Amino acid sequence: MRNGYTRLTHPLVRDGEELRRADWDEALDRAASGFRRALDDGRLTGLFSCSKATNELNFAAQKLSRVAFSSNNVDSCNRT
């Protein structure tokens, strides 16, 4: 425990102003529906990746952004 906080051991979802415990299926369904709404509404999406990640993970992240989100908005701290 650090600063009085412990690590999350399960997903949380927001109901109004409250966070409540959820199972993984519900949490992933909510995340997917949020991405779907953003894409359907024409809102811009982008993805940021980390230079400490493996090349394979960064490649998968840019593929996700370009193929699933139809967005070329991919950035990383690699360029700094």
Side-chain angles (χ1 to χ4, degrees):
M1 185 158 62
R2 186 172 143 172
N3 296 331
Y5 297 102
T6 58
R7 235 181 145 154
L8 289 177
T9 58
H10 52 272
L12 300 174
V13 296
R14 185 170 300 282
D15 279 334
E17 295 295 317
E18 299 293 318
L19 291 174
R20 69 168 173 80
R21 185 177 183 155
D23 62 22
W24 282 104
D25 287 335
E26 180 185 5
L28 291 172
D29 285 344
R30 283 195 179 203
S33 68
F35 283 124
R36 176 56 46 209
R37 270 193 317 277
L39 293 172
D40 290 346
D41 293 346
R43 289 182 281 182
L44 295 177
T45 59
L47 196 131
F48 189 82
S49 191
C50 178
S51 65
K52 295 188 188 252
T54 63
N55 287 337
E56 293 81 7
L57 185 61
N58 282 317
F59 177 80
Q62 67 88 22
K63 280 302 239 192
L64 174 71
S65 182
R66 293 170 203 256
V67 175
F69 300 157
S70 300
S71 173
N72 289 325
N73 298 325
V74 181
D75 200 358
S76 169
C77 55
N78 290 330
R79 64 181 176 82
T80 58

